[in-house]
Amino acid sequence: MGEGPRVPFTDLGAMARQVWPEISGELSDTVLGGSYIGGSPVAAFEREWAAYCGAGHAVGVANGTDALLLTLEALGIGTGDEVVLPANTFIATAEAVVRSGAVPRFADVDDATLLLTPGAVEEVLSPRTRAVIAVHLYGQLPDMVALREVTDRAGVLLIEDAAQAHGARWQGRSAGSWGVAGCFSFYPAKNLGAFGDAGAVVTDDAALAGRIRSLGNHGRASGAVHHQHDLLGTNSRLDALQAIALRVKLRRMDEWTAARVRLAERYRVALGGRVRLVAWAPEADHVHHLVVVRIGDRDRVRRELAERGVQTGVHYPVPCHRQPPLRRYARGPLPVAERAAGEILSLPIFPHMTAEQVDAVAAALLEIAGRGVGADAPAR
Ligand SMILES: *Cc1c(COP(=O)(O)O)cnc(C)c1O
């Protein structure tokens, strides 16, 4: 005891230490220069982020939840509308829908990838549906070609919640560039993380980008005089200090993603099919925000891993339609999402993790999980 975990779930400090020499000078210039909201670091990051995602425009906002909410509002989605989303996502996806005034319609997911399927979406479409939010859970896009076919046929919008999928691709095309808009979070623990809250929306639609920018800046029209407010907006902007950090970290993204891919592959080999991994589709360039396995007696395994100093997570233990403020929107069972919620376990993964740490986690997991299968686990 008292040694701290042998393998932490993540290590944000390691990434910060790698980039701090490049960031610190520019941060102090900006702090001492006295200009903190917007300005050239934000504009530069927006250009670079749009290019990284293969989109025409990016708008920096305060966080990923606002990226979703402002996108819905800017698309005119609200009271009387329905928005389809998967049940097994971070609650923010559903919060944004409810806060827009629309009704969330939860869809079940694929048992192998835990991602939205065209069939599940079709089951919950209604004449009131205005949009489908595809969530790129764990760092992988669902079949975006098939989802686009469904949304195009139904005449509804496809929006991406890409908060876990910076740089991920489906058939070579980037997260954020498939839908009418792609919503990103730069919460510190995301693959691209700020030193606090931050987010962005990417889109090819210049008018939509302009409305999102205006809504996040108290409804000011761009280029309008300071106290002219054409829309009822809110305060949701990207700070210059966060943009400075994000620009420097973005230059490391491909290197950090490649490390995640290597580590995830190593997990796959080390687990050797003896523990079920949430599947990776061959058409997907998965960025492994999380590496998730499914285990029958998850809570025991998690506890025993913790006793050995291996930190794990559960993303997410309760599907959205079972959370108290969202239960009123539930329409019948969603068996795949509900069963998965009791079985999923997120293993440590972060760019500076070592191969030896992966091997140690996999070995501990195989031993602990193996004791539960078919044999009585030792009493404790
Ligand atoms: C993190 C996350 C969000 C919300 O982002 P914040 O920046 O924390 O507001 C939304 N959706 C998903 C899937 C997320 O993982």
Side-chain angles (χ1 to χ4, degrees), residues 297-307 310-314 345-346 368:
D297 51 354
R298 188 260 322 276
D299 294 337
R300 173 190 67 88
V301 170
R302 185 167 194 220
R303 201 165 49 243
E304 293 189 27
L305 282 170
E307 282 164 10
V310 176
Q311 273 185 349
T312 57
V314 177
L345 181 68
S346 307
I368 292 167

Side-chain angles (χ1 to χ4, degrees), residues 33-372:
S35 175
Y36 309 127
I37 305 273
S40 61
V42 173
F45 174 69
E46 287 175 338
R47 274 195 307 276
E48 289 160 9
W49 185 244
Y52 190 79
C53 297
H57 309 271
V59 182
V61 296
N63 55 67
T65 310
D66 280 359
L68 289 160
L69 175 56
L70 295 175
T71 295
L72 292 167
E73 287 181 347
L75 290 167
I77 295 172
T79 309
D81 299 328
E82 292 182 1
V83 175
V84 174
L85 70 159
N88 59 328
T89 178
F90 183 52
I91 196 164
T93 323
E95 281 172 335
V97 173
V98 174
R99 288 188 168 271
S100 78
V103 169
R105 294 298 311 268
F106 295 105
D108 210 355
V109 289
D110 178 65
D111 191 49
T113 61
L114 301 183
L115 300 173
L116 216 48
T117 66
V121 168
E122 272 176 326
E123 272 177 40
V124 294
L125 287 175
S126 88
R128 289 177 178 267
T129 308
R130 286 283 313 282
V132 173
I133 304 181
V135 179
H136 307 333
L137 198 70
Y138 307 150
Q140 175 174 230
L141 279 71
D143 183 341
M144 296 303 284
V145 175
L147 285 176
R148 275 267 297 256
E149 270 168 29
V150 169
T151 54
D152 286 353
R153 205 179 320 128
V156 306
L157 297 165
L158 181 59
I159 297 168
E160 295 173 70
D161 180 342
Q164 302 189 1
H166 311 77
R169 293 183 159 84
W170 179 262
Q171 293 182 357
R173 187 164 158 188
S174 292
S177 70
W178 285 89
V180 62
C183 303
F184 288 90
S185 165
F186 306 116
Y187 176 76
K190 308 294 190 191
N191 285 22
L192 178 58
F195 294 150
D197 281 309
V201 181
V202 299
T203 179
D204 281 334
D205 181 337
L208 177 62
R211 280 197 303 281
I212 293 168
R213 187 181 299 289
S214 171
L215 285 172
N217 191 24
H218 302 294
R220 288 186 182 108
S222 81
V225 290
H226 193 66
H227 289 295
Q228 182 185 329
H229 306 274
D230 296 333
L231 303 168
L232 188 70
T234 186
N235 178 353
S236 184
R237 298 173 298 219
L238 179 61
D239 288 344
L241 297 184
Q242 302 302 350
I244 289 167
L246 289 167
R247 286 190 74 198
V248 175
K249 284 184 155 192
L250 180 54
R251 291 181 218 133
R252 304 282 181 193
M253 263 314 275
D254 290 343
E255 168 194 327
W256 287 345
T257 299
R260 287 178 181 273
V261 170
R262 270 197 309 278
L263 295 162
E265 275 302 330
R266 193 169 182 104
Y267 265 122
R268 181 175 13 212
V269 171
L271 293 174
R274 285 171 288 166
V275 169
R276 182 180 179 193
L277 271 164
V278 171
W280 312 334
E283 300 96 320
D285 290 314
H286 196 318
V287 295
H288 302 285
H289 174 59
L290 296 170
V291 171
V292 181
V293 294
R294 292 179 65 170
I295 303 174
D297 51 354
R298 188 260 322 276
D299 294 337
R300 173 190 67 88
V301 170
R302 185 167 194 220
R303 201 165 49 243
E304 293 189 27
L305 282 170
E307 282 164 10
R308 297 193 188 189
V310 176
Q311 273 185 349
T312 57
V314 177
H315 302 88
Y316 298 90
V318 180
C320 287
H321 66 296
R322 300 284 187 203
Q323 292 281 6
L326 297 169
R327 273 181 207 152
R328 51 188 286 236
Y329 303 109
R331 302 266 193 292
L334 298 168
V336 179
E338 285 165 29
R339 182 160 23 83
E343 298 177 353
I344 45 179
L345 181 68
S346 307
L347 304 179
I349 186 158
F350 50 95
H352 296 79
M353 190 178 186
T354 65
E356 293 68 31
Q357 285 177 310
V358 171
D359 294 346
V361 173
L365 177 62
L366 284 172
E367 196 207 312
I368 292 167
R371 268 195 279 110

